[in-house]
Structures are given as C-alpha cells and as structure tokens.
C-alpha cells in the first residue's frame, strides 16, 4: 500500500507512478510504499475448482492487488462551501459582539456631572459578617464607598451598611459616623457636598492600605497610629495643612473634632458584640443636615431567626422557617417592612394558608447573596419616598 502527497502524485514530470513489485525505500518512509502480496487457498474438499484471481502457484495475480490510484483532494465544492460558511459566521459574530469597530457610537471619555441627571439613584453596599469584618474593617469599607461618590452629583447616592449578624454596637458605630459627616463644615465657595467629598477622599487614601493583619479581629487592640487613621483623625490633620481646610478657624472645625473624638472612642471598643431581636429587621436611615447634599446612608440588619437541626433550610416556607403574610390584592411596596414585622415560625406546615394571602419566607436566601437581595428590595422602597 502506498501513501503520497497529492502534489507529488500529480507531478507527472518527476513522479513515474507506482509499479507492481516496486521495492520499499529505506527509512524515513515518507511518500513510500509497503509490499503488497497475497496467497490463495481452499478448504479441504474433494471438489477443488480453479480460483478466478489466482495463478497455478497459489499466488494472487499482482494486477488484481495494485492499480491506478484515484486522487483524493480537498479542492472540492463542499469543502469550499464549508470554509465560506465558517468565515461568514465569524464575520457575523464580530459585527454583533464588537459594534464599535465598524460603527462608532458617541460616548463620553470622562465623567461629566450632568451624566447623572438621568439616573434615579446610585447604591454602594458593604456587607459585613462575624468573620474578620469588625468595626475597623467595616469603617474602612464604608469610607471607600463614600469616597467613590462623584463630584457635583445630580442624583441620590446611597451607601448601605449590611450587617448580617445583627450587632447592636455596629449600629451605634453607624450613628457615630453620621455625626462625623454632619459636623463637616462648609468653607467659602466650596459646598458642603464638596467638603464631604474632600474629607472622605483623604480618609480613603489614609486607610486603603490597612489590611486585616492591622485592623482585623486578630488585632485585639489597635495600634494608636492605626486607630488615628481608621477614625479619620489622620486625614483631618493632613487636610488642615492644605487646601481650603487650612483657612478654617477653630470654631468652624470644633464640632468635627468633637465628633472625631467620640468616633475614635467608639472604634476603640471593638470586637465586643451584643445581639437582640434577631428575628426582626433592624434598619436606620441617615440624611445630612444640608439636604442639598446627595449622600444618604442606611444601616440594614435583616431578620435572622435562630435555626437548628429541625429547620428545613429551603427557599420556600416549610416547617421551622419564619414567614410573613402578604395580601393578594392590597399589598404595596411601602407596606413591605410593616408586613415583615408580623413574621412568625411555621410549626406544623400549611396551617396558615388561605386564599387571601401569600405566605413569604422571611429569608428567601442565606448568606451575603440573600442580604444583597434584601438591600435591593429595600432601596426600591426608599427610592419611592417623597424626599427622594
């Protein structure tokens, strides 16, 4: 049997075709032939008829073993059609997935304040758990969220602290942070919102490199220099040496310094937690003293009833899970939190089903994913309030 390239086989000027009985060339066996031969034989029978393709010596006649080879190539119509379909499909994908390559669309290359005019609100959220996310870690994350507020923003900017473990002390820390923001003064032509942005921009720069080794739960007592950076005093001292903050008199910054002292004392009491009424939602909203400022903050601790081995941890209502009732016809978004306050545990299963209410699990999802889903639902309610 012979194997040879099509181009060599069709080059009649150099290739003299295969011949019967052609000998095998030595290795490598590229474009070479292997010996082909055959023997004839019959079963042990009295009637030994001559075989059609065999000679008298019992060998298969050579011309029946070898012959002219039919050229096999890929230059055929089906192959060309297949290649054209692949190229056409690739072009369609490029046009669909990369429209800007062939038809450029107008867009801004940098942030402009008026771009936020068409947006109803922007939300940033920092979820916390009982792991390494203590007061110091949470404040570092919150400072980063607030510092991301664009300048001269023209829509509401909501910052959410999601406390999945119902720590009472974390809610107090949230209130102390609100006191610090309220105490930030206005200076000259700079608006209150610009002063808030400047302060938290410097605060973020001062805390962004504080890792868990310095501020996590493993740090039982914060180093005084680290505590100064976490509570905002480090950023305040730097701002007092430069920009518009250097022109502020002692009376203008007196309230801010007192608020920073109280905030520092609160953060120093870290890693000590109290939990109560975990089966109820705990939410707090904060608004600045200057209502023209677009910043709003929210503390959210969604209900987390105690669960044990008797609880069916599913996403629907089952024995052991807590649920609340939603009227089929009269339910509205503004009554959502009130309806959740009437939650109770299902004990026997299906005992409270009726045709006028839906029963909804208090925690449809567990973990941070469920918490973020709760935040999204809560922000829909907040956005519909008259002041927003």
């Amino acid at each position: 049997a012979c194997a040879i390239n099509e181009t060599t086989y069709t080059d009649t000027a150099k290739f003299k075709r295969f011949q019967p009985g052609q000998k095998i060339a030595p290795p490598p066996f590229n474009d070479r032939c292997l010996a082909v031969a055959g023997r004839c034989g019959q079963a042990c029978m009295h009637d030994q008829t001559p075989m059609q393709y065999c000679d008298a010596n019992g060998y298969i006649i050579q011309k029946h073993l070898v012959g002219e080879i039919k050229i096999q190539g890929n230059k055929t119509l089906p192959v060309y059609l297949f290649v054209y379909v692949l190229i056409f499909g690739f072009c369609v994908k490029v046009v669909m997935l990369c429209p800007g390559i062939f038809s450029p669309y107008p867009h801004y290359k940098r942030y402009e304040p008026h771009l936020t005019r068409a947006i109803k609100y922007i939300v940033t959220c920092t979820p916390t758990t009982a792991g390494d996310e203590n007061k110091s870690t949470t404040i570092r994350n919150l400072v980063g969220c607030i510092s991301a507020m664009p300048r001269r923003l023209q829509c509401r900017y909501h910052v959410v602290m999601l406390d999945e473990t119902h720590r009472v002390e974390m809610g107090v820390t949230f209130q102390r942070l609100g006191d610090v923001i309220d105490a930030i003064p206005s200076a000259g032509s700079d608006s209150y919102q610009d002063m808030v942005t400047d302060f938290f921009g410097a605060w973020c720069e001062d805390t962004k490199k504080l890792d868990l080794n310095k501020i996590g739960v493993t740090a039982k007592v914060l180093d005084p220099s680290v505590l100064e950076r976490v509570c905002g005093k480090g950023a305040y001292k730097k701002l007092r040496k430069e920009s518009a903050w250097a022109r502020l008199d002692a009376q203008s910054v007196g309230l801010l310094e007192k608020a920073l002292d109280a905030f520092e004392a609160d953060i120093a009491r870290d890693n000590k937690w109290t939990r109560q009424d975990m089966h109820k939602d705990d939410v707090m909203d904060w608004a600045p003293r200057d209502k023209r400022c677009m910043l709003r903050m929210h503390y959210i601790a969604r209900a987390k009833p105690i669960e044990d081995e008797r609880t069916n941890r599913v996403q629907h209502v089952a024995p052991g899970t807590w649920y609340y009732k939603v009227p089929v016809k009269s339910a509205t978004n503004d009554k959502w939190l009130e309806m959740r306050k009437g939650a109770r545990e299902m004990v026997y299963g299906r005992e409270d089903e009726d045709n006028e209410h839906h029963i909804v699990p208090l925690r449809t999802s567990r973990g941070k994913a469920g918490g973020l889903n709760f935040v999204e639902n809560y922000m829909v309610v907040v956005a519909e309030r008259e002041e927003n």
Side-chain angles (χ1 to χ4, degrees):
C2 300
I4 194 169
N5 293 334
E6 178 191 359
T7 54
T8 303
Y9 186 77
T10 55
D11 188 0
T12 56
K14 296 181 180 180
F15 182 67
K16 302 303 181 182
R17 304 289 176 171
F18 297 113
Q19 301 297 327
Q22 182 173 321
K23 294 184 177 180
I24 302 174
F29 297 103
N30 298 329
D31 303 338
R32 296 293 187 266
C33 295
L34 299 178
V36 176
R39 295 299 301 269
C40 303
Q42 292 183 336
C44 297
M45 299 173 62
H46 294 287
D47 186 12
Q48 300 289 330
T49 58
M51 287 179 285
Q52 183 179 359
Y53 303 107
C54 299
D55 58 15
N57 297 321
Y59 289 94
I60 299 176
I61 302 172
Q62 191 72 18
K63 68 177 182 179
H64 296 303
L65 292 176
V66 297
E68 191 70 16
I69 299 175
K70 184 180 179 181
I71 300 175
Q72 298 290 334
N74 54 11
K75 296 180 180 179
T76 59
L77 180 61
V79 174
Y80 283 118
L81 291 176
F82 178 71
V83 173
Y84 290 150
V85 169
L86 289 180
I87 295 176
F88 178 75
F90 173 75
C91 294
V92 171
K93 282 294 184 181
V94 171
V95 172
M96 292 177 59
L97 301 180
C98 307
I101 296 178
F102 306 101
S103 57
Y105 54 92
H107 63 282
Y108 287 89
K109 295 183 178 180
R110 60 184 62 86
Y111 164 75
E112 296 292 344
H114 69 270
L115 297 176
T116 59
R117 191 179 304 160
I119 302 175
K120 192 169 185 179
Y121 59 87
I122 300 174
V123 180
T124 58
C125 176
T126 172
T128 67
T129 61
D132 282 331
E133 293 162 341
N134 53 3
K135 287 183 181 180
S136 304
T137 307
T138 303
I139 291 303
R140 181 200 61 181
N141 298 341
L142 277 176
V143 168
C145 290
I146 299 174
S147 67
M149 180 174 63
R151 289 186 177 275
R152 299 185 296 279
L153 190 67
Q154 298 182 22
C155 69
R156 284 281 188 262
Y157 186 81
H158 298 275
V159 176
V160 180
M161 176 197 291
L162 174 61
D163 184 13
E164 279 290 276
T165 53
H166 276 259
R167 291 171 282 188
V168 176
E169 291 78 7
M170 196 66 79
V172 175
T173 301
F174 172 82
Q175 294 174 329
R176 298 288 83 80
L177 178 61
D179 295 340
V180 170
I181 302 176
D182 275 333
I184 295 177
S186 301
S189 60
D190 292 336
S191 67
Y192 171 71
Q193 182 167 313
D194 289 336
M195 296 293 285
V196 171
T197 303
D198 291 338
F199 182 72
F200 276 90
W203 197 351
C204 180
E205 286 294 324
D206 207 29
T207 58
K208 66 181 183 181
K209 294 185 178 179
L210 294 177
D211 55 26
L212 296 179
N213 294 325
K214 297 178 181 178
I215 61 176
V217 293
T218 55
K220 301 300 182 182
V221 179
L222 291 180
D223 184 88
S225 61
V226 173
L227 179 59
E228 184 178 75
R229 295 164 63 183
V230 172
C231 73
K233 283 188 173 181
Y236 170 72
K237 291 179 180 179
K238 292 179 181 178
L239 286 173
R240 289 289 285 163
K241 298 177 182 179
E242 57 188 33
S243 68
W245 289 74
R247 301 190 297 269
L248 297 175
D249 54 31
Q251 183 178 0
S252 300
V253 298
L255 291 177
L256 177 58
E257 292 178 351
K258 291 181 180 179
L260 289 174
D261 289 338
F263 192 51
E264 180 183 28
D266 180 77
I267 294 177
R269 298 187 296 270
D270 207 349
N271 298 327
K272 296 179 181 179
W273 311 113
T274 304
R275 296 175 175 86
Q276 59 186 22
D277 295 332
M278 295 185 63
H279 63 287
K280 297 181 180 180
D281 298 320
D282 186 9
V283 296
M284 289 184 285
D285 300 316
W286 174 90
R289 55 179 174 79
D290 187 348
K291 303 306 178 185
R292 294 172 297 178
C293 179
M294 293 299 176
L295 176 64
R296 299 292 185 272
M297 294 198 305
H298 312 275
Y299 170 83
I300 296 178
R302 64 168 178 153
K304 187 180 181 180
I306 297 176
E307 297 178 337
D308 54 26
E309 65 276 3
R310 296 169 297 177
T311 304
N312 291 327
R313 300 185 179 185
V314 293
Q315 291 186 319
H316 57 272
V317 180
T321 60
W322 285 64
Y323 70 97
Y324 61 99
K325 287 188 173 185
V326 178
V328 174
K329 298 181 179 180
S330 61
T332 56
N333 288 339
D334 59 327
K335 298 179 181 179
W336 175 57
L337 291 175
E338 287 297 325
M339 289 185 291
R340 288 178 60 89
K341 291 181 180 179
R344 57 180 176 175
E345 183 181 5
M346 175 169 280
V347 181
Y348 301 107
R350 306 188 68 178
E351 67 269 18
D352 287 331
E353 289 187 357
D354 58 64
N355 296 327
E356 297 181 357
H357 295 84
H358 297 298
I359 54 174
V360 182
L362 197 60
R363 292 171 63 87
T364 54
S365 300
R366 291 161 178 78
K368 291 184 178 180
L372 294 176
N373 183 58
F374 183 87
V375 169
E376 183 178 3
N377 294 336
Y378 181 76
M379 292 312 304
V380 171
V381 175
V382 171
E384 292 179 353
R385 294 174 181 170
E386 183 177 355
E387 62 271 20
N388 292 321

